[in-house]
Amino acid sequence: KGDQIYQVMTQQQTKEGEPWIGENTGYPIGQALIDHVPEVVNKARYGYPETMSVRLGEQLTEVKVAAGDPSYFQLFSFPILRGTAEYCLADLRNVVISDEIAATYFGENDPTGETFSLLAAGAEIDFTVSGVFQKMPRQYTLQFVVMLPIDNYLPFQAYPES
């Protein structure tokens, strides 16, 4: 599967006129590639982790929250310990958590179906745990412990102050 995964890069020009190549692209490009390039059959957009607060009851912790398309856990080989890769990001109010966060908040209990809140951009929003993934080794570039559906991530950032 790895030999069929490609990353789209962007080349821009700095204010000084120097070329700059980065991994940031506009969110619509994934669907545009699927619609117009027959060889592209799926996409997995990724929103870089931001620090947000997680609340369960009175317990409040800051964690790294990333965002991904529903296909994210299908295209990349993160071991899913609870839930399924196909459905864990299917609903906008779903959230997938690492086994480390699951142990911190839920102990030995199965956290799928449980609710906790994320606090960011002046809002507190409830999410349902739909999956648990094995925490990534330290050497992985992508480091996060909570993942939201990407279609909920951008609006989540824009919620007005309460």
Side-chain angles (χ1 to χ4, degrees):
K1 147 162 100 168
D3 63 341
Q4 297 177 338
I5 297 175
Y6 295 88
Q7 181 177 14
V8 177
M9 306 292 281
T10 301
Q11 181 172 340
Q12 301 175 359
Q13 194 170 9
T14 67
K15 289 187 249 181
E16 295 79 26
E18 297 296 318
W20 176 85
I21 297 175
E23 56 206 28
N24 300 334
T25 60
Y27 284 114
I29 196 153
Q31 191 59 48
L33 289 170
I34 289 172
D35 293 345
H36 299 288
V37 179
E39 295 82 6
V40 177
V41 296
N42 207 340
K43 69 180 184 321
R45 296 172 297 168
Y46 176 76
Y48 281 97
E50 293 193 26
T51 300
M52 296 183 192
S53 296
V54 171
R55 179 193 318 271
L56 182 65
E58 297 304 312
Q59 193 174 6
L60 188 66
T61 309
E62 287 195 343
V63 298
K64 291 287 187 184
V65 179
D69 272 314
S71 61
Y72 190 85
F73 289 102
Q74 297 169 54
L75 290 174
F76 298 103
S77 302
F78 294 107
I80 300 293
L81 306 175
R82 301 229 187 236
T84 63
E86 295 79 19
Y87 300 108
C88 62
L89 290 174
D91 187 277
L92 288 179
R93 291 291 187 223
N94 282 0
V95 66
V96 185
I97 61 176
S98 71
D99 53 351
E100 178 181 67
I101 292 294
T104 298
Y105 282 95
F106 303 100
E108 295 294 318
N109 297 324
D110 180 358
T112 55
E114 297 293 332
T115 301
F116 70 81
S117 302
L118 284 174
L119 290 75
E124 181 170 343
I125 301 155
D126 290 338
F127 288 88
T128 301
V129 177
S130 57
V132 177
F133 63 90
Q134 184 176 336
K135 185 178 180 212
M136 290 157 275
R138 180 173 277 167
Q139 71 269 23
Y140 276 36
T141 302
L142 307 176
Q143 290 292 324
F144 58 90
V145 295
V146 174
M147 182 172 270
L148 301 174
I150 201 161
D151 287 337
N152 197 32
Y153 191 63
L154 293 176
F156 189 84
Q157 303 305 306
Y159 286 157
E161 294 288 325
S162 312

